[in-house]
Amino acid sequence: MLRLADIVVHYGDREILHGVDVAVGRGELLAVLGANGSGKSTLLKAAAGLTPAARGSVTVDEKPRGIRDTALVFQKIHLVGRRSALDNVCAGALARLPLHKSLTPALFPRDVREEAMGCLERVGLANRAHDRAGSLSGGQQQRVAIARALCQRAPVVLADEPVSALDPAAAEQVLALLAQLAHAEGLAVLAVLHQPDLARRHADRIVGLRDGVVVLEGDPNQPVDVLYENREPEVATP
Amino acid sequence: MSVLEAPRAKVPPKPRNPRTVVVGWIIAAVVVAVHVIAWRATDISFAALAEGWAGMADFLAEAIPPDLSPDLLLESAEASLVTLWIGLLGTTLSVPLSLILALLAARTISPAGWVYQVTRAILSFLRAVPDVVFALIFVTAVGLGPFPGVLALVAHNVGVMGKLWAETLEEADPGPATALRSAGAGRIQVAAHALLPSVLPQLVGLLLYRFDVNVRSSLVLGLVGAGGIGFLINQSIQLFQFDQMLTHILVVLVLIIAVDRLSAVVRRRLTPEAA
Ligand SMILES: Nc1ncnc2c1ncn2[C@@H]1O[C@H](COP(=O)(O)OP(=O)(O)O)[C@@H](O)[C@H]1O
Ligand SMILES: [Mg+2]
């Protein structure tokens, strides 16, 4: 479904990704592992079209990636705390709504609200629909953010360290949710993870990045020490 | 148990850069020089103040006690209300324009660099012209009365509130905006669903603050013919009815304190609301 082929990304003169190939299938949760600065976020941004690739291609179902193909889930949760969970989820539908039907939450058409409610049900938060997003726990907020991504109707979900800000129990729950959405609903989920053991428990497959190169791929249970050992001390970049 | 005293250590002398010392002296000299010039240019004279003191005393003697006849109090209260209404409309009628200009003048959402520059210039101009000057212009255009006062407040307040709101929008957490932009939302949708809702309490707080300021300004506008209690104060001074003037001042004092308290209470209720 999602295919990144031979991706090269530069920041200024520095080449960050040196020809990376990654594919995520329908119904699959792929975890991207790697040390700090190995290029995981850059890869995700390239997949989302937020960072231009100097070389290579990003395709979804064999066609060049379109703006509606990918939905993002962030480490910092990025909800509007003062709005209800439901209104936050509805915002995922903005791209398909004309301005006169989307200027305020009160104008959202009924079918959008019902679809957003359905998305909240899928993340298990239907009972919190009218609560302010800011009043929910970190794990619940991240699930609302996932519901918003679902409301975008994108077949590919890209998540950059979606559980790094959460406590262990909430992290398990959110990753289990992402895996279930992939398996039960046929989404392609690419998640950058910091902890290999979370990937072991929830991912179908892993990709390991080291200094902008894929150095391992496949079974989540394989040893991943090579990603983290013998690292040069981190160089501060201006 | 006794409190443990840390052993003493010698404080090394603070290193002084000779350049900082020289610069410090230059700044001090400039500040003094500027004050000497200003003192001369404004004809400051303690002699004049001492002589005038007698006149002030006469003035006070005539003003006290204030004229508390019911007719005058009624007239004063009615005019104070007009002052309040001028301040209110001057604030609320400037909301739509302030909002549009603030969105265009917020670096984080402005559609283009030149739009940002042009809107900032418009806001600066409106801010630079005092509301009293706007009032004099509008009095010439539409005649004496409260209406030119409202127009003057709107004109100046758009400049101030537009800038304050633009800066608040620029300081809004960019996260939700990034999220919605990545979801394909348009510029106006991002403003309506990410930026504005995040900073709404701050925007309302600034609106109340401006209401407070505008009620006080509208008093001054009355002095130049734009209706309300200021107009009555001006009139009583020109007719040497200082006891009536004092009545008007006391009545308007009540109004201003009331507005100040009201806006403070509402703002306090807005701020603890952590987003
Ligand atoms: N916007 C940027 N400009 C310049 N260099 C960047 C930028 N973003 C990331 N980098 C550099 O690219 C490298 C990879 O970063 P990133 O993809 O964020 O790593 P990861 O997410 O794996 O920690 C790092 O060395 C980082 O300093
Ligand atoms: Mg990262």
Side-chain angles (χ1 to χ4, degrees):
Chain A
M1 162 146 277
L2 172 71
R3 181 177 296 281
L4 297 143
D6 195 23
I7 297 289
V8 172
V9 172
H10 298 272
Y11 282 131
D13 296 339
R14 257 181 82 203
E15 191 173 296
I16 306 294
L17 298 177
H18 316 285
V20 171
D21 293 290
V22 169
V24 195
R26 190 184 295 276
E28 182 181 46
L29 170 59
L30 176 79
V32 177
L33 298 173
N36 281 332
S38 56
K40 307 182 296 295
S41 295
T42 305
L43 181 67
L44 207 104
K45 283 183 195 151
L50 296 175
T51 299
R55 203 176 75 203
S57 66
V58 181
T59 55
V60 173
D61 280 339
E62 320 295 326
K63 289 187 285 287
R65 188 204 82 98
I67 182 100
R68 302 278 184 86
D69 289 335
T70 52
L72 281 167
V73 175
F74 303 83
Q75 175 186 352
K76 290 192 174 173
I77 293 163
H78 293 344
L79 298 176
V80 178
R82 303 186 60 257
R83 288 245 171 118
S84 71
L86 185 65
D87 287 345
N88 271 285
V89 176
C90 286
L94 285 174
R96 2 180 241 282
L97 290 174
L99 204 51
H100 69 277
K101 288 187 179 171
S102 65
L103 210 49
T104 77
L107 294 174
F108 286 140
R110 193 196 165 107
D111 58 326
V112 167
R113 301 181 72 78
E114 288 179 355
E115 182 175 346
M117 198 59 213
C119 295
L120 271 178
E121 251 167 37
R122 285 149 78 191
V123 302
L125 284 174
N127 57 335
R128 308 303 296 269
H130 291 300
D131 291 8
R132 281 177 171 229
S135 71
L136 303 177
S137 72
Q140 290 169 333
Q141 290 191 32
Q142 193 58 295
R143 279 148 66 197
V144 172
I146 291 169
R148 178 174 65 191
L150 293 175
C151 203
Q152 284 176 240
R153 297 184 185 164
V156 177
V157 173
L158 305 167
D160 194 355
E161 301 193 24
V163 300
S164 297
L166 305 180
D167 65 50
E172 294 289 341
Q173 206 180 11
V174 164
L175 274 178
L177 172 67
L178 284 174
Q180 185 227 326
L181 289 171
H183 301 156
E185 318 212 0
L187 295 173
V189 181
L190 189 158
V192 170
L193 295 181
H194 226 72
Q195 304 103 313
D197 56 320
L198 281 176
R200 217 168 287 133
R201 281 198 291 282
H202 298 283
D204 300 304
R205 206 153 53 80
I206 60 169
V207 160
L209 271 184
R210 180 165 174 151
D211 298 328
V213 176
V214 175
V215 292
L216 59 81
E217 179 166 10
D219 184 358
N221 290 307
Q222 66 185 287
V224 294
D225 300 339
V226 61
L227 298 176
Y228 305 101
E229 67 198 10
N230 297 330
R231 304 251 337 140
E232 289 158 32
E234 242 176 84
V235 191
T237 44
Chain B
M1 215 178 97
S2 71
V3 177
L4 283 181
E5 207 175 298
R8 303 296 160 97
K10 194 160 179 273
V11 179
K14 205 169 171 179
R16 275 187 203 282
N17 178 345
R19 245 195 61 174
T20 359
V21 176
V22 173
V23 169
W25 279 109
I26 292 176
I27 291 175
V30 168
V31 169
V32 169
V34 169
H35 274 80
V36 170
I37 295 170
W39 189 278
R40 295 214 178 132
T42 51
D43 296 335
I44 288 198
S45 150
F46 289 113
L49 185 61
E51 273 171 40
W53 195 245
M56 292 280 282
D58 287 350
F59 176 83
L60 282 177
E62 278 185 49
I64 298 171
D67 177 355
L68 295 177
S69 60
D71 282 356
L72 187 72
L73 280 176
L74 192 66
E75 189 191 10
S76 192
E78 276 175 7
S80 295
L81 275 182
V82 172
T83 293
L84 178 67
W85 302 146
I86 295 173
L88 179 76
L89 291 180
T91 313
T92 50
L93 294 185
S94 63
V95 166
L97 206 53
S98 299
L99 187 61
I100 293 169
L101 291 177
L103 287 168
L104 296 176
R107 203 182 286 277
T108 40
I109 18 170
S110 192
W114 68 268
V115 177
Y116 168 85
Q117 297 292 351
V118 169
T119 351
R120 285 276 165 163
I122 294 172
L123 292 176
S124 299
F125 169 76
L126 293 175
R127 242 181 5 262
V129 180
D131 39 21
V132 180
V133 174
F134 275 125
L136 288 168
I137 295 170
F138 286 123
V139 165
T140 330
V142 303
L144 293 173
F147 180 48
V150 173
L151 293 178
L153 282 186
V154 169
H156 182 70
N157 192 54
V158 165
V160 180
M161 207 156 74
K163 173 169 186 268
L164 293 174
W165 279 4
E167 277 163 10
T168 307
L169 286 167
E170 284 178 351
E171 283 159 21
D173 171 16
T178 310
L180 294 195
R181 218 172 282 128
S182 83
R187 199 178 287 278
I188 299 177
Q189 290 175 324
V190 169
H193 294 282
L195 291 170
L196 289 174
S198 314
V199 296
L200 194 63
Q202 288 96 308
L203 298 188
V204 174
L206 289 168
L207 181 79
L208 286 166
Y209 159 70
R210 288 306 301 172
F211 170 58
D212 190 359
V213 172
N214 284 336
V215 170
R216 274 176 277 146
S217 296
S218 85
L219 171 74
V220 180
L221 300 190
L223 297 175
V224 300
I229 189 85
F231 194 68
L232 291 188
I233 291 177
N234 193 22
Q235 217 171 33
S236 53
I237 292 177
Q238 279 172 357
L239 300 175
F240 300 103
Q241 295 162 332
F242 298 124
D243 54 342
Q244 298 197 357
M245 177 208 69
L246 186 58
T247 311
H248 297 319
I249 288 179
L250 291 176
V251 169
V252 85
L253 195 67
V254 172
L255 170 77
I256 282 174
I257 291 174
V259 168
D260 182 79
R261 295 317 313 148
L262 180 76
S263 116
V265 166
V266 179
R267 268 185 285 162
R268 203 170 316 123
R269 294 208 45 177
L270 280 169
T271 34
E273 205 163 66

